[in-house]
Amino acid sequence: MDTKDFWKLIDDARALVTDPADTEAVADRISDLLAQRPAHDIVAAQQLLWGLMAASYRAPLWAAAYTINGGCSDDGFDYFRGWLIGQGREVFERVVADPDTLAELPAVKEVAADYEELECERMLGVAWAAYRRVTGEELPPGSFTVEFPALDPEWDFDFDDEEEMAGRLPKLDALYG
């Protein structure tokens, strides 16, 4: 399995659920689809997932998640990125490149009115669940690695600073401000 296969898996899962906005259902379907593959593909999927988690470990995205979710802990940022991965490659790449584009997504607009959170912890365990279903065991120790990059020091400010956030994420500020 490679990155292209992984994104296709997500697209396939999104196409198979009744409501692709239900990222929990998408995650369950991903696990189902992974469980139809050999164990080595499932292990590869786990590494690819965490590669995407590392690629999206960016302070501007964290600030956007903080705005959308009304705060965002370390775990909360993981779960937010799980949600983001579940949106598919096009959305993921666009948002990682410019987190303020989150304000353009229907899912973000929908939750903004009710101040609901966007997160999907279940996405982080799709390979674990599939591997356990296929082998009856946990993923092998050391089967994946993740190295998060250092966060951009230019974004080392209090995300509760409304003026700073408005200047850096104007579209999200207009939606949530």
Side-chain angles (χ1 to χ4, degrees), residues 9-92:
L9 184 74
I10 290 174
D11 288 344
D12 291 347
R14 290 177 59 78
L16 292 169
V17 297
T18 306
D19 179 11
D22 181 352
T23 313
E24 300 283 327
V26 172
D28 289 342
R29 184 60 64 174
I30 291 167
S31 285
D32 293 343
L33 293 172
L34 275 172
Q36 297 171 17
R37 294 175 173 248
H40 65 86
D41 275 359
I42 299 169
V43 172
Q46 178 71 355
Q47 182 61 60
L48 291 164
L49 173 70
W50 283 94
L52 294 172
M53 292 292 288
S56 60
Y57 188 78
R58 302 285 182 259
L61 184 59
W62 202 330
Y66 191 93
T67 299
I68 291 167
N69 288 348
C72 193
S73 67
D74 293 351
D75 289 346
F77 188 43
D78 285 347
Y79 307 154
F80 178 83
R81 288 178 293 143
W83 170 85
L84 182 59
I85 290 166
Q87 304 311 297
R89 184 178 200 158
E90 180 186 325
V91 169
F92 177 85

Side-chain angles (χ1 to χ4, degrees), residues 114-131:
D114 299 325
Y115 296 98
E116 294 177 34
E117 293 185 6
L118 292 174
E119 60 182 24
C120 186
E121 180 180 4
R122 190 173 298 164
M123 185 67 68
L124 307 182
V126 294
W128 287 95
Y131 193 85

Side-chain angles (χ1 to χ4, degrees), residues 56-172:
S56 60
Y57 188 78
R58 302 285 182 259
L61 184 59
W62 202 330
Y66 191 93
T67 299
I68 291 167
N69 288 348
C72 193
S73 67
D74 293 351
D75 289 346
F77 188 43
D78 285 347
Y79 307 154
F80 178 83
R81 288 178 293 143
W83 170 85
L84 182 59
I85 290 166
Q87 304 311 297
R89 184 178 200 158
E90 180 186 325
V91 169
F92 177 85
E93 289 177 350
R94 183 174 74 233
V95 166
V96 169
D98 181 2
D100 206 27
T101 63
L102 280 159
E104 301 164 4
L105 297 179
V108 175
K109 290 177 183 178
E110 185 178 318
V111 301
D114 299 325
Y115 296 98
E116 294 177 34
E117 293 185 6
L118 292 174
E119 60 182 24
C120 186
E121 180 180 4
R122 190 173 298 164
M123 185 67 68
L124 307 182
V126 294
W128 287 95
Y131 193 85
R132 194 175 309 115
R133 200 174 321 162
V134 168
T135 67
E137 299 174 5
E138 298 294 323
L139 279 167
S143 60
F144 71 97
T145 59
V146 61
E147 290 186 35
F148 292 114
L151 291 171
D152 183 345
E154 288 185 26
W155 284 77
D156 186 20
F157 62 90
D158 183 356
F159 291 165
D160 286 320
D161 182 335
E162 293 176 13
E163 186 176 315
E164 187 72 28
M165 292 289 274
R168 291 176 183 250
L169 299 168
K171 293 176 190 173
L172 281 171

